[in-house]
């Protein structure tokens, strides 16, 4: 199992739990010190440095994984960043490009690379992590929400294109999960996102995967998935800018 963005939050939770269940887990991230921490605490988890926003690093990651771990058969596209944007002013293009590259371009590119390999295996899966905010956006983080809506749409298309292969395509839709997501916009960098504990989310997500639930909205995300735009106005009135 290869997990992107696996040094904290949901990604690390997946890495620890899948490893505990006896899987070979490879996790990548941009922060070398975090990878070293994981190696020290969980020596069975394989770590590698990779910035998935960079096309050359994604290609190098793919080549390294398939050459060194040819039994790879699951990709979890988890890496994500969440930045605030005031859409009434000129946007910061570096932040905009980074968010789109990490949240959307990287999953599309990595999935396309691994799909070629996975189609030759008896069993395999691509697991995309979207968000309840794909269906009810929070306007202060508009690009994040838009990329997650795009991930939902893209996952449907990928699933359709792979329907006659051995590759299963999952979409896991998290609610607010207590992780570091969005720390770039918080004054206190030690403050977490708040929401569902990571271990509870991971438990429900893995249960959905084990039961072949190809689209799984977890906990409160079920309400967002079902009601969508009906909740937009009320939700955004309660969110402070």
């Amino acid at each position: 199992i290869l997990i992107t963005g696996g040094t904290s939050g949901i990604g690390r939770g997946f890495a620890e739990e899948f490893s505990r269940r006896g899987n070979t887990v490879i996790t990548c991230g941009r922060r070398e010190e975090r990878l070293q921490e994981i190696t020290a605490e969980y020596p069975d988890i394989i770590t590698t440095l990779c910035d998935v926003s960079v096309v050359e690093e994604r290609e190098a990651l793919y080549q390294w994984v398939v050459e060194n771990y040819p039994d790879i058969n699951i990709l979890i596209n988890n890496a994500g960043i969440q930045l605030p944007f005031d859409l009434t002013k000129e946007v910061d293009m570096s932040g905009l490009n980074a968010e789109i590259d990490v949240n959307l371009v990287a999953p599309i590119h990595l999935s396309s690379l691994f799909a070629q390999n996975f189609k030759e295996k008896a069993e395999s899966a691509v697991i995309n992590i979207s968000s309840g905010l794909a269906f009810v956006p929070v306007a202060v983080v508009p690009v994040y929400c838009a990329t997650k809506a795009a991930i939902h749409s893209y996952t449907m298309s990928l699933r359709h294109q792979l329907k006659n292969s051995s590759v299963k395509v999952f979409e896991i839709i998290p609610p607010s999960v207590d992780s570091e997501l969005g720390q770039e916009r918080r004054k206190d960098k030690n403050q977490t996102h708040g929401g569902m504990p990571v271990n509870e989310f991971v438990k429900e997500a893995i249960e959905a995967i084990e039961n072949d639930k190809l689209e799984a909205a977890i906990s409160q995300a079920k309400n967002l998935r079902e009601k969508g735009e009906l909740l937009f106005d009320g939700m955004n009135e309660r969110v402070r800018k």
Side-chain angles (χ1 to χ4, degrees):
I1 302 173
L2 171 63
I3 305 170
T4 67
T7 60
S8 65
I10 288 173
R12 180 159 177 169
F14 273 131
E16 293 173 3
E17 183 60 22
F18 276 121
S19 178
R20 188 184 69 79
R21 295 180 182 216
N23 298 280
T24 299
V25 174
I26 308 163
T27 188
C28 69
R30 293 178 291 180
R31 295 175 288 186
E32 188 169 8
E33 69 280 4
R34 287 290 185 88
L35 295 171
Q36 291 173 350
E37 289 173 9
I38 292 172
T39 300
E41 190 171 354
Y42 301 95
D44 289 337
I45 296 178
I46 302 154
T47 63
T48 186
L49 194 65
C50 179
D51 182 348
V52 296
S53 71
V54 179
V55 60
E56 293 82 7
E57 293 199 27
R58 295 193 298 266
E59 291 170 343
L61 174 66
Y62 169 72
Q63 291 296 335
W64 178 79
V65 169
V66 296
E67 288 174 9
N68 290 280
Y69 304 97
D71 290 336
I72 178 78
N73 68 338
I74 295 177
L75 167 66
I76 301 181
N77 285 308
N78 167 75
I81 57 176
Q82 186 187 84
L83 303 174
F85 284 96
D86 183 344
L87 300 178
T88 67
K89 300 177 182 177
E90 182 177 357
V91 298
D92 169 35
M93 288 306 300
S94 62
L96 177 66
N97 288 331
E99 193 160 21
I100 293 172
D101 284 342
V102 172
N103 294 1
L104 179 59
V105 177
I108 293 174
H109 187 200
L110 286 171
S111 296
S112 73
L113 293 172
F114 280 97
Q116 304 169 60
N117 180 278
F118 285 1
K119 285 190 292 185
E120 305 302 319
K121 299 180 182 295
E123 288 185 303
S124 58
V126 174
I127 302 171
N128 292 329
I129 308 300
S130 63
S131 171
L133 301 186
F135 308 97
V136 186
V138 168
V140 295
V141 286
V143 178
Y144 175 84
C145 300
T147 59
K148 292 303 185 179
I151 284 292
H152 169 68
S153 175
Y154 156 72
T155 302
M156 293 175 66
S157 296
L158 181 64
R159 186 182 298 128
H160 179 78
Q161 291 191 12
L162 289 170
K163 66 180 181 180
N164 294 321
S165 75
S166 62
V167 188
K168 297 176 182 177
V169 180
F170 292 85
E171 177 185 2
I172 303 298
I173 307 169
S176 176
V177 176
D178 194 18
S179 68
E180 294 179 358
L181 182 68
Q183 71 173 181
E184 294 87 352
R185 61 190 174 91
R186 290 193 284 271
K187 292 181 180 179
D188 181 359
K189 300 304 181 184
N190 294 317
Q191 181 184 356
T192 59
H193 191 68
M196 187 178 190
V198 170
N199 63 330
E200 293 182 13
F201 166 79
V202 166
K203 180 180 177 181
E204 288 195 32
I206 291 178
E207 183 178 345
I209 294 166
E210 289 177 335
N211 288 301
D212 283 340
K213 189 172 183 180
L214 297 181
E215 183 185 302
I218 306 300
S219 188
Q220 294 179 354
K222 295 174 185 176
N223 194 38
L224 302 180
R225 177 66 180 95
E226 292 170 359
K227 296 186 177 179
E229 294 180 6
L230 294 174
L231 298 176
F232 178 82
D233 288 339
M235 186 170 179
N236 281 281
E237 285 175 2
R238 296 193 299 272
V239 175
R240 299 174 63 183
K241 294 184 179 180

